[in-house]
Amino acid sequence: MINISQSFLKEFAEYKSGNTCGLQVKAKYIDGIKFPSSDAMEYGNAFEYFATGSIPRDGHIPEIEKVYVGTKRESNSAQYQKIIESAELFKNIIKHYEIEIIDTGRVATQDGMTGIMDIVAKWDDRICIIDTKYSGLIDDKWSDYGWNLDMLPERHNLLLQPVQYKILLSKELGCDPEDIDFYFFVFSSKTVMDVKLIKVNVDELTIANHLTTVEWVKSELQKPIDKVFKAKPELKRCFECPIKDNCNFKIEVPHIDEIAC
């Protein structure tokens, strides 16, 4: 049995919907195999490090990417200059709103659930969780990871996090989830001055439904592993898969799909 993180819940739901491979989910969350980070993930790690000092989970220290190295024109790359400026803006926001940071990178594990909270803070005499995002999709309406405010209530994959984290911290502190606030601080990776501070309110029914889902996932994980996590090979998915070299289910030509007309 593993402690269930919000990221595992997202990927398990994607797997159950047929949108990802069960063997990838198993490798990542059961076997502990580290998958390569994308550029976007590395930018996010760097932003969080320069903003809060939090070191990425794998322990590496983000370094500023340089261009024209060894010449008189040596300077920060355009993207990393934006990251540095966004990190400074984050610090100014913290100062402006008189937010008292209590903890960063806090790991909370309760009742078979777990989570790593970017920031636990005190704001207007209330305990809050702040999760920082560094995204190129700050106004995107259509992506599952877009932060357009009109569409955000429908982004259930993004809103799992505030629900689970409020539950976890409330259990740790011995209070009700409603006594803890949750904020996303979303910084654009394209434009430094494009930022959204989003407070997420979570009602009792959403919390109850989340706990019911967690219990269902726990019951699924009690079954034999090979019955829970099955291969779902697709050509593109297999081609990009980090564990394909040792996979007996990978495909190298596309399946034939059939439709009726």
Side-chain angles (χ1 to χ4, degrees):
M1 178 65 71
I2 64 167
N3 288 314
I4 296 169
S5 66
Q6 55 92 20
S7 54
F8 173 76
L9 285 176
K10 291 176 191 175
E11 292 214 36
F12 194 69
E14 284 289 290
Y15 163 58
K16 285 294 188 178
S17 299
N19 297 324
T20 193
C21 177
L23 300 188
Q24 287 186 346
V25 179
K26 174 180 176 290
K28 203 182 291 186
Y29 294 98
I30 306 297
D31 302 332
I33 295 173
K34 179 174 169 52
F35 280 37
S37 296
S38 66
D39 287 343
M41 293 168 65
E42 286 301 322
Y43 295 153
N45 286 337
F47 168 75
E48 188 175 346
Y49 174 72
F50 293 123
T52 71
S54 290
I55 297 172
R57 290 173 219 180
D58 62 7
H60 83 279
I61 305 295
E63 295 183 0
I64 297 172
E65 183 181 80
K66 299 285 187 178
V67 293
Y68 304 113
V69 176
T71 73
K72 291 181 180 180
R73 298 176 61 194
E74 180 173 328
S75 60
N76 299 334
S77 71
Q79 187 60 64
Y80 272 77
Q81 185 59 36
K82 289 178 183 177
I83 290 170
I84 292 167
E85 291 176 15
S86 291
E88 287 302 312
L89 178 56
F90 167 85
K91 294 172 185 177
N92 290 339
I93 291 168
I94 294 295
K95 182 178 180 180
H96 174 83
Y97 283 106
E98 298 181 347
I99 300 169
E100 178 190 350
I101 294 179
I102 298 169
D103 204 357
T104 59
R106 178 171 181 154
V107 180
T109 302
Q110 297 284 332
D111 298 338
M113 295 180 289
T114 192
I116 304 175
M117 301 169 193
D118 287 352
I119 299 166
V120 176
K122 196 174 217 182
W123 188 355
D124 291 337
D125 292 322
R126 286 180 61 85
I127 295 297
C128 68
I129 301 163
I130 299 172
D131 193 82
T132 61
K133 302 294 184 186
Y134 191 70
S135 172
L137 301 171
I138 194 165
D139 291 312
D140 193 291
K141 287 185 176 183
W142 313 118
S143 169
D144 288 341
Y145 296 94
W147 292 95
N148 175 272
L149 292 179
D150 292 333
M151 301 300 294
L152 191 55
E154 307 301 320
R155 303 280 182 258
H156 301 298
N157 59 323
L158 293 177
L159 297 181
L160 274 174
Q161 189 174 18
V163 181
Q164 177 138 327
Y165 282 15
K166 281 169 67 81
I167 292 169
L168 283 169
L169 191 59
S170 69
K171 286 179 177 290
E172 276 206 349
L173 300 182
C175 63
D176 293 328
E178 66 188 26
D179 295 326
I180 296 168
D181 295 328
F182 186 100
Y183 296 86
F184 285 119
F185 281 22
V186 188
F187 291 76
S188 171
S189 62
K190 298 177 181 178
T191 306
V192 171
M193 288 299 171
D194 195 0
V195 181
K196 291 179 178 176
L197 309 184
I198 305 168
K199 183 179 180 181
V200 182
N201 297 313
V202 181
D203 60 30
E204 291 182 3
L205 179 59
T206 301
I207 288 172
N209 288 341
H210 184 87
L211 291 172
T212 298
T213 298
V214 169
E215 290 305 313
W216 174 76
V217 172
K218 286 180 183 177
S219 69
E220 285 291 291
L221 295 178
Q222 295 288 346
K223 300 175 183 177
I225 288 292
D226 61 343
K227 301 294 184 185
V228 178
F229 298 101
K230 296 183 179 180
K232 293 191 176 179
E234 290 183 358
L235 183 61
K236 183 174 182 290
R237 183 183 296 158
C238 291
F239 179 75
E240 296 173 346
C241 179
I243 59 171
K244 64 178 180 288
D245 290 343
N246 297 312
C247 181
N248 295 325
F249 299 93
K250 68 180 177 185
I251 62 173
E252 296 179 342
V253 294
H255 287 303
I256 297 172
D257 297 314
E258 294 187 33
I259 63 169
C261 62

